[in-house]
Every structure is written in C-alpha cells, then in structure tokens.
Amino acid sequence: MTKLRIGLGVDFHQLTEGRDFWLGGVLVPHHKGALGHSDADVLLHAICDAMLGAASLGDIGLHFPDTDHTYKNIDSKILLKRTLELITGKGYQVVNIDSTLCLQAPKIKPYVVQMQETIAGILNISTEEVSIKATTTEKLGFVGREEGVVAYATVLLEKGGER
C-alpha cells in the first residue's frame, strides 16, 4: 500500500558582508551572503526540514545542531544527502518539491536550473520534480531591506509504492 506524506519547511538567515551566498547548492554571486553555523543555504535547509517533517523525524536542528562543531561551515548539500538517508531509512522517497525563496536581491532566475539539477541529483529525482520560485517583498521588512533571506519548501514523500 502506498502512503503519501507532506512536509513544510521554512528557514531564515541574516545577510552580511564577507560571506558566500549559497542557494540551492549553488554559489550565487552577491555582495552579501547568509550568516549561519553551516554554509547557511536557506533553500536546502527548508527542504531538509520539509523532508524530515513529512517523515515525522523532527527538524534540521535535531539532526544537525548548530551546537555541534562537526557541522561548522558544512556544505548543506551534505546535510540534504544525510536527510535523504534518514527518510529512506524509514522507507520514504521524495515525490516532488515546491519551494519559494524570498529575497530582494540578487535575481536568481539565472541560477534556478543549476539549483534544480543540484537538488534533483542529490535526491535521485527528476529536475521536473523540483520547483524553485522567488519573490521580493517589495522592499518591505527585513527581506526588503536586504537584511535577510527566507525560504519555504513543501515536499511530498511516498512510502511503499513503486515509482
């Protein structure tokens, strides 16, 4: 019997000078980068949280705590791969992802295909199963002032079915 589970993930990071800006596993040129214990890739973190939530495995902080020096400056693609191992260990596989990045700048359209390829490659799914959208906040709030970035992700998992 096939079992479907949906999960929602969200992540926020402050933007600051002197940091690389990683989004969806891709280095995006920008004068600011996200501040965090890891490489602070908000999109991958939101996807991890959505996957973990759908499988009732808690959240990214439970599995990869920022109090553990092991994860200091870790590449979030590694965290996504380890998250996949956690959900497959419970018999789940990713069906599809829908995500939204909220940032004033930079424009990410030139990087979306590469992000889709990176995420799909890690999760062993088709790029057509990875939706990445972006929006500004019309210069409102901390995102609009370019003080931070937010990502939302919804993930559908399947257990027990043949794909």
Side-chain angles (χ1 to χ4, degrees):
M1 176 175 210
T2 299
K3 184 174 186 178
L4 298 174
R5 301 278 301 257
I6 194 165
L8 174 66
V10 62
D11 195 37
F12 301 76
H13 279 280
Q14 181 180 347
L15 291 175
T16 187
E17 301 281 342
R19 291 272 301 187
D20 288 336
F21 198 20
W22 288 95
L23 290 172
V26 174
L27 183 58
V28 176
H30 193 53
H31 69 281
K32 290 183 176 181
L35 183 62
H37 186 70
S38 67
D39 65 6
D41 187 326
V42 293
L43 181 55
L44 294 189
H45 294 181
I47 292 169
C48 287
D49 259 354
M51 291 168 61
L52 291 166
S56 294
L57 289 171
D59 62 27
I60 194 170
L62 176 67
H63 296 279
F64 315 111
D66 63 7
T67 55
D68 186 337
H69 198 66
T70 305
Y71 304 113
K72 181 71 175 158
N73 297 319
I74 195 167
D75 182 335
S76 292
K77 293 186 293 293
I78 295 169
L79 301 181
L80 183 61
K81 180 67 173 171
R82 290 183 185 170
T83 300
L84 177 64
E85 292 166 0
L86 289 167
I87 68 151
T88 57
K90 283 193 72 174
Y92 289 102
Q93 60 190 7
V94 175
V95 176
N96 75 300
I97 299 166
D98 184 30
S99 63
T100 303
L101 284 162
C102 302
L103 70 168
Q104 198 63 42
K107 299 296 182 193
I108 65 150
K109 186 176 180 180
Y111 308 99
V112 168
V113 170
Q114 188 180 356
M115 290 178 199
Q116 290 172 303
E117 290 170 348
T118 299
I119 295 165
I122 293 167
L123 298 178
N124 302 311
I125 58 177
S126 163
T127 57
E128 293 178 358
E129 307 306 331
V130 181
S131 170
I132 301 170
K133 305 175 303 295
T135 188
T136 69
T137 58
E138 302 297 329
K139 300 191 184 220
L140 297 172
F142 71 91
V143 171
R145 292 187 301 270
E146 297 186 50
E147 296 170 3
V149 58
V150 180
Y152 297 92
T154 304
V155 173
L156 182 64
L157 300 183
E158 180 179 40
K159 184 176 189 177
E162 291 294 320
R163 290 202 78 213

